[in-house]
Amino acid sequence: MPERIILDYGSGGKASQRLIKNLFMKHFANPGLNRMDDAALILDLQGPLSMSTDTFTVDPVFFPGGDIGSLAVHGTVNDVAMLGAVPKYISCAFILEEGLVMDDLERIVQSMARASSHAGVQIITGDTKVVPRGAVDKIFINTTGIGLVVADPAPSGHRAEPGDAILISGSMGDHGLAILSHRQGIAFETDVLSDSQALNHLILRLIREVGDIHVLRDPTRGGLATTLNEIAQQSDLEFIIDQELIPIKEAVEGGCSFLGLDPLYLANEGKFICILPESLATKALDIMRNDPAGQDAAFIGRVAEGRNGKVVLKTALGGHRLLDMLEGEQLPRIC
């Protein structure tokens, strides 16, 4: 194959077939995809299903701790899992810029194959388009996932209740700062890596071993602050968060201070918020902290009645302030 992507790869003709066979089928092969029909045939999913779609346009496409390929798999797998589901299948659609280096594309496809294998999902359908130079920036990827809901009832932002505990699975702001620092060529004393990872295996353990989980949500764009506001508004309750209990790595704290950013608004791609009865919090934290995906899990606050729809932050100095949603675009193209 040529060293770079050419427009003919999106023609649907022989060149397209060579790209599919020599790249995508080579790394994604599985019984569903190998049928090569116009649509994927799914025979084994019955009952309530969870489905989510997302498009990834991250810049740069390779960053400390990941790349656009693994991010596209993790992002959709995690969204499907947040409904208390076991992700089973995903689709992927590529929009490729003419001139994209073929070795870079294969590196991304290999990364997607590893990420989907680790998450236990199969890529069973897809699409490829090639557009002229300048129409996109290198590569955009859309992934859609579907999974079987096993939690009953399914977690939802509407299900938070007064007295619930608010947990997070790890440190905040890693992904957003990793992307920004790599994009700007900024080096810190300690490397900041993206937290991009699949969360579905840990989520399944919580559902099966703890149960009665009211809310699951991954704080991606807009970060922890915006996501908590979304849930508080959905459930029409007040969330009281203790700033000193929120885990933030020293390197992220220092980098944000240097760049004038608030880590509570930075995106995370491998963390989740878990809201459940406080009587179950200790058991949930034990499970999370014994899993590689949740080692820094923490209890950060409670759900209450009062200023409904608002998030109140207890500051390190003992004061209280409203923690609002993100206003404007803090960091574009981070996922």
Side-chain angles (χ1 to χ4, degrees):
M1 291 194 293
E3 293 181 353
R4 292 180 180 272
I5 289 291
I6 57 176
L7 286 173
D8 201 17
Y9 280 136
S11 67
K14 290 184 177 179
S16 297
Q17 294 303 312
R18 284 196 295 272
L19 184 69
I20 292 170
K21 179 182 177 182
N22 297 333
L23 182 64
F24 297 121
M25 296 301 295
K26 174 182 172 184
H27 295 293
F28 293 163
N30 61 67
L33 188 63
N34 294 350
R35 293 173 61 92
M36 293 292 289
D37 290 324
D38 282 352
L41 181 64
I42 299 174
L43 299 172
D44 61 339
L45 295 184
Q46 294 181 348
L49 303 177
S50 169
M51 183 175 179
S52 183
T53 191
D54 205 344
T55 302
F56 298 84
T57 67
V58 64
D59 173 33
V61 295
F62 301 104
F63 49 83
D67 57 73
I68 190 172
S70 56
L71 183 66
V73 173
H74 294 157
T76 291
V77 163
N78 292 344
D79 283 345
V80 170
M82 293 304 144
L83 211 62
V86 177
K88 299 289 288 185
Y89 302 111
I90 62 174
S91 70
C92 66
F94 297 89
I95 298 178
L96 309 176
E97 183 186 23
E98 179 190 14
L100 174 67
V101 176
M102 186 62 76
D103 285 348
D104 286 350
L105 177 58
E106 180 154 24
R107 188 176 158 194
I108 290 166
V109 170
Q110 289 174 324
S111 178
M112 292 185 76
R114 286 193 299 271
S116 57
S117 175
H118 177 74
V121 298
Q122 292 185 352
I123 298 171
I124 55 171
T125 189
D127 182 47
T128 306
K129 295 291 189 298
V130 181
V131 296
R133 291 176 190 271
V136 298
D137 184 7
K138 301 179 186 66
I139 179 173
F140 293 170
I141 302 176
N142 173 270
T143 48
T144 298
I146 189 167
L148 182 63
V149 177
V150 294
D152 185 18
S156 168
H158 298 87
R159 291 192 54 220
E161 296 180 5
D164 278 355
I166 302 173
L167 315 180
I168 54 175
S169 65
S171 58
M172 294 289 101
D174 300 16
H175 178 74
L177 194 66
I179 294 291
L180 178 65
S181 59
H182 192 59
R183 185 186 298 170
Q184 301 297 332
I186 300 171
F188 301 111
E189 189 170 329
T190 302
D191 290 338
V192 177
L193 304 179
S194 168
D195 60 355
S196 177
Q197 62 180 334
L199 299 167
N200 55 312
H201 300 305
L202 175 54
I203 293 292
L204 184 58
R205 283 196 63 196
L206 290 173
I207 291 167
R208 287 179 171 169
E209 297 178 33
V210 179
D212 200 19
I213 295 172
H214 294 167
V215 183
L216 291 169
R217 189 73 61 85
D218 52 345
T220 52
R221 284 183 300 175
L224 178 67
T226 299
T227 307
L228 287 174
N229 271 277
E230 291 171 355
I231 303 168
Q233 291 176 13
Q234 282 181 276
S235 57
D236 197 28
L237 292 167
E238 180 182 28
F239 288 5
I240 303 171
I241 306 300
D242 192 325
Q243 185 176 25
E244 290 196 312
L245 299 180
I246 301 171
I248 299 172
K249 292 176 180 170
E250 188 175 343
V252 173
E253 189 88 62
C256 286
S257 178
F258 176 73
L259 296 167
L261 299 171
D262 186 338
L264 300 187
Y265 290 92
L266 290 182
N268 312 274
E269 291 291 344
K271 307 288 167 50
F272 64 93
I273 298 166
C274 176
I275 299 178
L276 75 177
E278 188 164 347
S279 59
L280 299 175
T282 299
K283 186 175 182 181
L285 283 171
D286 286 344
I287 291 171
M288 293 161 77
R289 288 168 177 164
N290 281 296
D291 189 287
Q295 290 179 337
D296 298 322
F299 181 117
I300 62 167
R302 292 180 173 82
V303 178
E305 290 183 301
R307 286 169 281 200
N308 290 0
K310 302 295 184 184
V311 179
V312 177
L313 184 72
K314 294 170 62 177
T315 70
L317 298 176
H320 294 75
R321 69 176 175 88
L322 288 178
L323 191 64
D324 207 352
M325 281 190 171
L326 176 66
E327 182 75 33
E329 182 68 277
Q330 190 176 26
L331 296 174
R333 294 193 57 194
I334 54 173
C335 59

